[in-house]
Amino acid sequence: MNNETLKNNPLICDIETGMCETTDSISESTSGNKVSSDKKSIRIIYYTDPICSSCWGIEPQLRKLKLEYGDAVEIDYRMGGLLPDWNYNSGGISSPSDVASHWDEVSIHYDMPIDGDLWLEDPMDSSYPSSIAFKAAQLQDNQKAISFMREMREMMFLKKKNMAKWENLAIAANKVGLNVEQLKTDFEGKAKGLFQEDLKLGQELGVRGFPTMFFVDDAGNQETVYGTRPYAFYEMAILKLNPNATKSEYSKNWENLFSIYPTLTAKEFSELSGTPRSDSEKQLNELVEKGKLEKHTTKNGSMWTIKNLNH
């Protein structure tokens, strides 16, 4: 794929910067003060997009951040609008099929399961429907909205479901316990305006790609981390703003981790449990053999789910 294609297609994420970029590239972290914090000592304004493969790549670090610094930080999920439609481009990409092999490469790079064949079998025409659905979910319940985002991504990256289709959004919403009728009403109404507000704020903050995280303290001081980075980058941003932020200890055994996060990839399990990556898959597979977990395998890796055991 030539450089022109890379430049013009936001779905082709730059593995070097760890970003799906909408315009020129930017440095990996900067300081400033543009936005204000709220309740917890640090607010993270997280600009993401449901179909952004680099944002899927950041899940292990993000899940660990919530476990270790959840008491100190409030994460404010904002939608960035990665793919309005296929007409945005002045050349450089001919069709969604260009994205298929790229997603397979990204999967290997981030060690997170992604099946790029979605773009050959049932390509999405836009990331706006899933973004608006997420804003609709936030109107109901913020925690369920985050579970909904995860479910949408699992359906898309692992099960090749087109998340621009309402029937698939409804399946994801139902699974995480959202009121699907209410979601549809908000999806067709209020949520569109909220999505536009996110896009507007993103422009004001200079968001050019995803993931982008703005860490903001009570005084409005800001640290920004661009792209999918090792865990230390996010931890450093918190500690720069609040050197007294204390890390929560959590139980790293598999039962506790799966009770918090019912689905985990081998990379996530390794990051959260401290198990070397070379051993994490073996350990998860042994739990499958013992009947404790179920395994969903794709051509580029697997995901493990806790079995619904009746105690």
Side-chain angles (χ1 to χ4, degrees):
M1 206 174 292
N2 64 29
N3 287 339
E4 201 51 38
T5 308
L6 290 172
K7 257 184 273 177
N8 286 331
N9 183 3
L11 286 173
I12 304 295
C13 301
D14 187 329
I15 284 173
E16 293 304 310
T17 63
M19 277 197 112
C20 298
E21 289 172 14
T22 50
T23 59
D24 302 331
S25 62
I26 29 190
S27 64
E28 60 208 29
S29 60
T30 60
S31 305
N33 48 356
K34 289 178 186 161
V35 271
S36 61
S37 171
D38 53 13
K39 293 166 276 182
K40 296 197 182 181
S41 71
I42 292 168
R43 178 180 173 208
I44 302 174
I45 301 173
Y46 173 30
Y47 263 90
T48 183
D49 187 282
I51 78 169
C52 165
S53 54
S54 288
C55 298
W56 180 238
I58 205 182
E59 283 283 285
Q61 297 92 303
L62 190 58
R63 286 181 145 190
K64 187 177 180 180
L65 199 74
K66 288 174 183 177
L67 289 177
E68 292 199 328
Y69 291 99
D71 293 340
V73 302
E74 186 79 50
I75 303 176
D76 179 6
Y77 285 72
R78 299 287 184 145
M79 298 297 97
L82 184 62
L83 180 68
D85 54 47
W86 284 97
N87 302 318
Y88 65 88
N89 194 352
S90 58
I93 148 172
S94 53
S95 72
S97 61
D98 288 342
V99 185
S101 60
H102 173 69
W103 266 22
D104 290 339
E105 286 166 20
V106 169
S107 178
I108 293 159
H109 178 74
Y110 290 128
D111 189 15
M112 287 287 279
I114 302 175
D115 190 336
D117 289 354
L118 165 65
W119 295 100
L120 306 175
E121 294 169 16
D122 190 6
M124 291 174 283
D125 53 11
S126 172
S127 68
Y128 280 27
S130 52
S131 299
I132 293 165
F134 176 78
K135 297 312 291 183
Q138 280 184 316
L139 286 168
Q140 280 188 50
D141 182 305
N142 207 38
Q143 252 346 90
K144 284 181 183 172
I146 293 165
S147 300
F148 177 54
M149 175 69 83
R150 173 74 184 202
E151 184 61 29
M152 286 195 288
R153 285 177 168 153
E154 289 179 9
M155 286 175 67
M156 181 177 52
F157 290 123
L158 285 94
K159 298 168 186 170
K160 300 184 287 185
K161 299 292 182 193
N162 181 331
M163 297 315 286
K165 291 180 174 175
W166 173 258
E167 61 263 32
N168 290 331
L169 295 171
I171 290 166
N174 189 50
K175 184 161 180 195
V176 302
L178 287 162
N179 179 324
V180 179
E181 279 177 39
Q182 185 60 48
L183 191 82
K184 184 123 174 63
T185 302
D186 291 332
F187 176 78
E188 289 167 354
K190 283 184 210 164
K192 288 182 177 171
L194 294 171
F195 175 53
Q196 289 303 322
E197 283 172 26
D198 280 5
L199 295 182
K200 186 169 174 288
L201 178 64
Q203 282 182 328
E204 288 166 12
L205 294 175
V207 173
R208 297 182 196 154
F210 318 104
T212 295
M213 289 195 190
F214 301 97
F215 294 73
V216 194
D217 69 10
D218 291 329
N221 300 306
Q222 182 185 311
E223 292 292 321
T224 309
V225 181
Y226 297 107
T228 301
R229 298 283 162 198
Y231 182 73
F233 278 73
Y234 307 101
E235 185 173 38
M236 219 158 46
I238 291 169
L239 295 174
K240 250 183 171 177
L241 293 173
N242 181 4
N244 301 317
T246 51
K247 190 186 285 195
S248 299
E249 289 299 319
Y250 63 92
S251 166
K252 295 180 170 62
N253 70 48
W254 74 269
E255 284 150 306
N256 182 57
L257 294 176
F258 276 94
S259 73
I260 300 165
Y261 299 124
T263 59
L264 289 167
T265 66
K267 172 76 181 288
E268 288 176 321
F269 184 68
S270 169
E271 183 84 56
L272 300 180
S273 66
T275 310
R277 177 60 185 88
S278 53
D279 299 339
S280 64
E281 197 145 350
K282 184 168 167 275
Q283 209 171 316
L284 291 167
N285 286 333
E286 283 168 3
L287 288 164
V288 172
E289 282 165 28
K290 289 176 184 167
K292 307 284 190 188
L293 301 178
E294 287 171 356
K295 182 180 182 179
H296 177 87
T297 303
T298 74
K299 66 173 187 172
N300 293 323
S302 306
M303 188 174 68
W304 287 260
T305 309
I306 193 146
K307 272 194 169 180
N308 290 325
L309 305 168
N310 296 319
H311 296 295

